[in-house]
Amino acid sequence: MRVFVTGASGWIGSATVDELLAAGHEVTGLARSDAPAAALEAKGARVRRGDLDDLASIRAGAEAAEAVIHLANKHDFSNPAVSAAAERAAVQTIGDALAGTGRPFLLASGVAGLTPGRPAREDDPSPYHGPDSPRGGSENLALEFVDRGVHTVSLRFAPTVHGAGDHGFIAVIAAVAREKGVSGYPGDGTSRWAAVHRSDAARLVALGLAKAPAGARLHAVAEEGIPSRDIAEAIGRAFGLPVTSIAPNDVQGHFGWIGTFFSMDLAATSTVTRELLGWTPTGPTLIEDLDAGAYSARPAS
Ligand SMILES: NC(=O)c1ccc[n+]([C@@H]2O[C@H](COP(=O)([O-])OP(=O)(O)OC[C@H]3O[C@@H](n4cnc5c(N)ncnc54)[C@H](OP(=O)(O)O)[C@@H]3O)[C@@H](O)[C@H]2O)c1
């Protein structure tokens, strides 16, 4: 299949491109600068040069493809409205381009805020609608295109897609620990995060492209929920730092923007996804990765 991948140079995207190429797909990756473009070409993918804001390029890439996997995100966590607006515009553009074709449109999403107080399941719809909601309400917007003849599949990634080289949330928390000289956890440390290893997440994306029905919400979740205290203790072990509770009122000051996420209970199950796709995660757990030094090689930039 000719697959157009946005975010093809990213943490999840680059592993996904490898999976797709290995499965025999012809991949075109969106790249906005020379280095990612060269990396894509070196592994045998094609390149479409363009920025997420260049909607004409996104549209042309989608129209030329037999499937679209949208993994790009601006990730401006200090100004999430910017990322959300770009995300919504890209999803609208891809949906419009694929309308009436029946072609697969897989897009990245998450589990934050879906079901406060209990682990999120695949049959839990996102409460986020409209441009002012988290991620610009992109999951629901994309799923609305099912009625317009698009084979939409939402990829709900665990809040940590971990592994050596990760620059995501766990790397940021580890960087805060190193900077402050103490590995903190919010409050009583019982807020939990679901987790998945990058290799399992990328394999799930490829399986989702091959097998998921239109309208599916897939959970890229290997571990249902790891308490923040366990995460902080593993970071403390990795860097030889003391571990301590950070009082709820001090969380923002201590952690910065990541404190909001680290305080949230972001547990999720993946029973439906595993049964639907025959997907079994095999990668290391988050704590195994931390204990093996996956986050010790270099601090997050
Ligand atoms: N990693 C996680 O733990 C996690 C968890 C839940 C959800 N997700 C979601 O999964 C998706 C992929 O995440 P990731 O961790 O792979 O992200 P990432 O490593 O930060 O990669 C982001 C990708 O988006 C591209 N990008 C950023 N701004 C762009 C722009 N203006 N125009 C074009 N491309 C742009 C980047 O390209 P450059 O190489 O040019 O910068 C890169 O390829 C995102 O939607 C993310 O929110 C990730």
Side-chain angles (χ1 to χ4, degrees):
M1 217 184 272
R2 288 194 315 277
V3 189
F4 177 47
V5 181
T6 73
S9 57
W11 173 241
I12 300 171
S14 54
T16 297
V17 168
D18 293 344
E19 286 285 339
L20 296 174
L21 291 170
H25 296 294
E26 185 183 295
V27 177
T28 299
L30 184 73
R32 56 180 172 154
S33 59
D34 291 344
L40 280 167
E41 279 170 348
K43 55 170 86 170
R46 295 172 188 216
V47 173
R48 168 169 288 279
R49 292 297 289 254
D51 190 277
L52 211 41
D53 293 329
D54 179 359
L55 296 177
S57 178
I58 302 277
R59 183 179 185 94
E63 284 174 346
E66 291 165 310
V68 178
I69 301 179
H70 171 52
L71 300 171
N73 195 290
K74 291 189 175 182
H75 284 160
D76 186 347
F77 290 110
S78 52
N79 191 359
V82 169
S83 305
E87 171 67 1
R88 187 171 178 90
V91 166
Q92 180 76 49
T93 300
I94 295 166
D96 284 338
L98 298 184
T101 66
R103 291 181 174 166
F105 172 23
L106 282 66
L107 82 157
S109 190
V111 301
L114 296 184
T115 54
R118 70 163 173 81
R121 294 190 312 255
E122 290 87 341
D123 60 355
D124 290 315
S126 164
Y128 301 132
H129 294 268
D132 297 331
S133 53
R135 298 184 75 89
S138 60
E139 178 182 273
N140 282 322
L141 177 63
L143 289 170
E144 284 169 18
F145 277 96
V146 173
D147 290 339
R148 291 180 54 194
V150 179
H151 192 103
T152 303
V153 174
S154 176
L155 305 163
R156 290 177 172 174
F157 296 108
T160 172
V161 179
H162 55 88
D166 177 20
H167 55 251
F169 286 178
I170 292 295
V172 174
I173 293 168
V176 171
R178 293 174 75 149
E179 182 197 324
K180 305 271 178 177
V182 60
S183 180
Y185 55 86
D188 63 3
T190 56
S191 59
R192 294 162 304 158
W193 275 13
V196 66
H197 191 266
R198 179 201 198 199
S199 57
D200 291 318
R203 199 158 42 82
L204 176 64
V205 178
L207 273 174
L209 175 64
K211 293 168 80 169
R217 293 178 289 247
L218 303 178
H219 280 198
V221 167
E223 298 181 87
E224 182 174 321
I226 308 156
S228 58
R229 182 175 184 151
D230 292 3
I231 296 172
E233 285 175 348
I235 291 172
R237 282 195 299 278
F239 297 106
L241 296 171
V243 179
T244 187
S245 164
I246 306 297
N249 282 346
D250 297 333
V251 162
Q252 207 63 35
H254 181 87
F255 289 104
W257 62 264
I258 193 71
T260 305
F261 290 102
F262 205 22
S263 304
M264 292 171 83
D265 196 47
L266 304 180
T269 65
S270 57
T271 312
V272 172
T273 300
R274 290 172 196 238
E275 286 173 2
L276 189 65
L277 303 181
W279 175 69
T280 305
T282 58
T285 66
L286 173 63
I287 301 300
E288 285 170 351
D289 258 350
L290 281 160
D291 284 344
Y295 289 82
S296 307
R298 61 184 175 89
S301 53

